Amino acid sequence: MSPTFGTDGVRGRANVDITPELALSIGRAAAAVLLTDDQRRVVIGGDTRASTPMLSAALAAGFAASGVDVVDLGVAPTPMVADAARRHDAIGAVVSASHNPFHDNGIKLFARGGVKLRDDVERRIEEQLDQPAIVSDGPVGSIRSGHASIGREYLDHLHAAIDGRTLDGMRVVIDAANGAAAEFVAPLFAELGVDAIVLADQPDGRNINDGCGATQPMYVAEAVRTHGADVGIALDGDADRLIAVDHTGTVVDGDHIIAVCARDLRARGRLARDSVVVTVMSNLGFRLAMDEAAIGVIETPVGDRYVLEAMSEGRYSLGGEQSGHVIFADHATTGDGLLTALILLDATCRAGRPLAELADEAMTSLPQILVNVEVAERLPDVAEQIADEIEAAERALAGRGRVLVRASGTEPLVRVMVEAPTDDAARATAEQLAAVVVDRFGRTDLQADGR
């Protein structure tokens, strides 16, 4: 049976779930579904995991065996692959498990022009994986390196997004998560005149996301306080998202980043349709702040691919997720942590005020508790299965909060998120619903994340 694509490709344990054989098969299947007679090019990049070169080689072999010419970018951020696909009219493929630990890996695909795949296209690739491999005596595709030239294109593209301005005088701590952006951070910020303190930029194949990166923002926050920096930036393993911290070490999450950028873009007449696109996970405080600022909010299911689809359909210019995936459609076809960092820093520079002030002014978060419950297998219909308990929790909040229960799109987790007027009320409600999930579906772990 073929693997199932989640919200961000196929992901699992490297060499167990995500094997070279699977990677080769995905290359063949993607070639059969995505490529046409007039477009036989693919760009492949990956992160710094020990398993990535093995899987990238197998994926490239699958494409080349199908007559596709492959440009191998080696270690490359996911948004760099998407940008290269857009510039060179190719499809894109990335070997990465994003924020997961090093022993996991995954494969995500971009359609022609660097856009994420629609659900129906992913289903066609899954179906193709179940078919016998097509043996062809036609010419095989080439495989060549394109890292240096395309890397330079990517850095120039990032600089152009802030209209060629510099960020002279800013002191910034950047946590590269020992991931795909590690080699790009220092030259990029040096060119922009930033006094940069770079952390976690020495990947060894096993230390990606290990105590660092966007899921561990306290690491960069401590460094910001130690070095007296203006801002801290924490990327994830494939650099398609970020979390910021202000000069006090306080986390500035995706909701706040989007709120700051939305207000800045609107003030300059650059926010398309005076609206933003976010997911159901965005804080209720974000919605209230955007309403006060006369900025419309379009809501989608969780996953940046759904944000991207809504942005494309409605021709919106800004969208993203609380987790730090932020999409600037005027500049990119997907979320980009480095691009977001530059745009946020540029907005801070032009305002002449600390990020802490801009973030506080942009929105106030309601207390939000997220509890992750590990389950034996993914439960895509978990909300329907405990609908009565969810309804009872919402009634108890009496319209002063919000409840969201959903299955993770990439891991065997059920996420229970509750917003309420107080932290205690949110935590009590979240833990009550998490206990229902534990009782109904079994428990291997329980962890609460207060926001």
Side-chain angles (χ1 to χ4, degrees), residues 94-115:
V94 179
V95 178
S96 174
S98 188
H99 61 276
N100 285 31
F102 87 94
H103 52 66
D104 289 342
N105 218 323
I107 296 171
K108 62 182 84 174
L109 300 167
F110 292 96
R112 186 172 182 175
V115 297

Side-chain angles (χ1 to χ4, degrees), residues 321-359:
E321 297 184 284
Q322 186 186 71
S323 61
H325 284 110
V326 183
I327 301 126
F328 294 91
D330 291 340
H331 305 290
T333 60
T334 191
D336 185 336
L338 288 174
L339 174 68
T340 302
L342 296 197
I343 291 175
L344 180 65
L345 294 173
D346 180 57
T348 304
C349 271
R350 286 185 287 101
R353 298 164 58 198
L355 176 60
E357 289 185 12
L358 297 180

